[in-house]
Amino acid sequence: MAYQTSIVWFRNDLRLRDNETLFRANESSKTLVPIFVFDERHFGATRFGFKKTGAFRAKFLLESVADLKRSFQELGSDLVLRVGKPELIVPELARQVGADAVFFSEESTDEELTVERNLKRALHTHTIKFHTVWQSTLYHKNDLPFSPEKLPDVFTTFRKQVEKFAKVRAPFPAPKTLNPIPPSVEVGAIPTLEQLGLTSPTDDARAAIRFKGGEREAWKRLDDYFWKTDSLRRYKETRNGLLGANYSSKFSAWLANGSISPRTIYDEVKRYESERIANESTYWLIFELIWRDYFRFLSLKLGNRIFKKRGIKNQPVALSQDEEKFQAWAEGRTGVPFIDANMRELRATGFMSNRGRQNVASFLVKDLKVDWRMGAEWFESLLVDYDVASNYGNWNYVAGVGNDPREDRYFNPLRQASMYDPNGDYVRHWIPELSKLPVPLIHEPHKISPMESTLYGVELGRDYPRPIVRIKSAE
Ligand SMILES: Cc1cc2nc3c(=O)[nH]c(=O)nc-3n(C[C@H](O)[C@H](O)[C@H](O)COP(=O)(O)OP(=O)(O)OC[C@H]3O[C@@H](n4cnc5c(N)ncnc54)[C@H](O)[C@@H]3O)c2cc1C
């Protein structure tokens, strides 16, 4: 054993299985002191004044940490909990227990890297060693067939190269038992949502799925989606859906805080392929995980460019910060039902499908001409699965300031509605006041005639807003 005592600082890697950081710490240390710090800055406000972590994700995080704590207790150890700044708290704990080293997982974006740098500096001052592990992606950073600075500008080039030249590493086993943490350490408690300045969100019965945080729940979801309902078999055909639990995997929330690793999901896809079926759908789930990797590596390469209005391309964009338009968008009252239904789902549940996200983002930027960063921050606040790189990377693409080879991609909401919600079921689900309208009026209530208005009991401007922009026809 290299070390008597090591600290394992948990970040977005809230799991025991396939946690290389934990594995490395455990193989080289007699005693581990695992710690999670609720970073007080994550519960402040964003630049545009939204809560940086809204109630949906905060609740999911509390559940995830509780689950991890239970897992450590079952192994004979425990998870130390604090609220504050990790770069101050972790070195302090290390000093208190006389730790030889601190282990933690690497992140890729600015705020997280700043914390890492400050932590390393503090540890250096106290001559405490540190070890960092890259483990947030499917393909390991060191296995890429190019250095991260040479990441291809186009996703397809990236994908083809990693598929051809890189291999996904095997997952790491979870520890079987652990020594108890030193008795002198005060374990600390999980804060309540109220202590974090939030109120508990109400469960909405219309939600596609009830997200519950934690490694156990992540595996339950995987078991359900792959093995029990066999939904993976049809993923490629269903993934653009809008209603229900199984049109897509819903793995995103657990992936975002690391309750499950992309490598584990890959491993399970391979098992599914050998035991059930290998088809375009099984491949497509991996394809999407490669998109996730791409945005993560892009954030590593480009640093703060992904957060700038001009984006990855450094392209000037004429976008306003019109408060009224933004509020109408955020509250789901733009007068375009397909957009409003998606925005209401997000507000009520913390989740929205990928098809929905593309449409509402495009609408905010291309139709309302509002600064895409306001939308990205709204997502940051509300999404249960918020992931810095995936969120800002996707917003760059949709806003037209990313590396999208398809120049100026536009999602026409009427055309998209007719393709993905042909019978209006999704709009009816989230906008009950329109539920009596038939197709095509359900997607174009602004075309309602006085007679139809009486017939269906829907008056524009009273029951549902008039469109706040001129709606382009679906052609
Ligand atoms: C404007 C916008 C913002 C987004 N913000 C986020 C975010 O904050 N966090 C997040 O995880 N995803 C984000 N996405 C990507 C995508 O919408 C979600 O990952 C997906 O909808 C989650 O549902 P799922 O797990 O059922 O996905 P599935 O379709 O089942 O996909 C499986 C996994 O692949 C990954 N994935 C799928 N699509 C993408 C994509 N376009 N980019 C990156 N990874 C992808 C996710 O990890 C996902 O869990 C965003 C997309 C857009 C257009």
Side-chain angles (χ1 to χ4, degrees), residues 86-134:
E87 67 273 31
L88 302 179
I89 289 168
V90 173
E92 181 51 38
L93 179 68
R95 259 173 13 103
Q96 191 200 333
V97 299
D100 307 290
V102 173
F103 288 74
F104 61 92
S105 303
E106 294 169 26
E107 290 284 346
S108 64
T109 40
D110 186 56
E111 287 171 13
E112 291 72 14
L113 293 177
T114 305
V115 172
E116 278 178 33
R117 264 194 309 276
N118 291 336
L119 172 65
K120 285 176 185 172
R121 208 169 293 138
L123 293 173
H124 186 74
T125 313
H126 300 304
T127 57
I128 299 166
K129 291 201 173 67
F130 60 82
H131 298 275
T132 69
V133 173
W134 178 271

Side-chain angles (χ1 to χ4, degrees), residues 27-164:
E27 70 173 2
S28 56
S29 322
K30 201 156 159 249
T31 299
L32 298 183
V33 183
I35 178 168
F36 181 83
V37 182
F38 292 88
D39 190 325
E40 61 193 23
R41 291 159 295 203
H42 294 177
F43 300 92
T46 65
R47 174 217 309 248
F48 292 106
F50 315 134
K51 286 205 180 297
K52 206 165 160 58
T53 305
F56 295 116
R57 192 164 70 259
K59 180 164 180 278
F60 190 82
L61 176 66
L62 299 188
E63 292 163 353
S64 305
V65 171
D67 185 67
L68 185 65
K69 186 173 174 64
R70 187 178 136 204
S71 298
F72 274 115
Q73 288 173 339
E74 284 173 5
L75 293 178
S77 176
D78 209 336
L79 179 65
V80 176
L81 297 166
R82 297 283 185 273
V83 180
K85 294 192 171 76
E87 67 273 31
L88 302 179
I89 289 168
V90 173
E92 181 51 38
L93 179 68
R95 259 173 13 103
Q96 191 200 333
V97 299
D100 307 290
V102 173
F103 288 74
F104 61 92
S105 303
E106 294 169 26
E107 290 284 346
S108 64
T109 40
D110 186 56
E111 287 171 13
E112 291 72 14
L113 293 177
T114 305
V115 172
E116 278 178 33
R117 264 194 309 276
N118 291 336
L119 172 65
K120 285 176 185 172
R121 208 169 293 138
L123 293 173
H124 186 74
T125 313
H126 300 304
T127 57
I128 299 166
K129 291 201 173 67
F130 60 82
H131 298 275
T132 69
V133 173
W134 178 271
Q135 60 165 347
S136 58
T137 46
L138 179 61
Y139 289 98
H140 195 285
K141 186 173 71 173
N142 299 344
D143 296 341
L144 298 178
F146 34 75
S147 65
E149 308 83 64
K150 294 263 166 63
L151 183 83
D153 283 340
V154 174
F155 168 72
T156 307
T157 317
F158 165 79
R159 178 181 57 77
K160 286 187 176 159
Q161 291 209 27
V162 291
E163 284 178 342
K164 191 159 178 198

Side-chain angles (χ1 to χ4, degrees), residues 357-368 395 398-399 409-413:
R357 294 181 203 202
Q358 290 177 318
N359 271 279
V360 301
S362 164
F363 188 80
L364 182 74
V365 180
K366 305 277 171 72
D367 291 292
L368 300 182
W395 271 96
V398 184
R409 193 193 291 251
Y410 171 67
F411 292 82
N412 180 309

Side-chain angles (χ1 to χ4, degrees), residues 176-196:
K176 293 211 166 62
T177 57
L178 291 171
N179 282 337
I181 63 168
S184 61
V185 177
E186 193 204 322
V187 181
I190 298 179
T192 61
L193 281 175
E194 288 69 27
Q195 284 166 337
L196 297 172

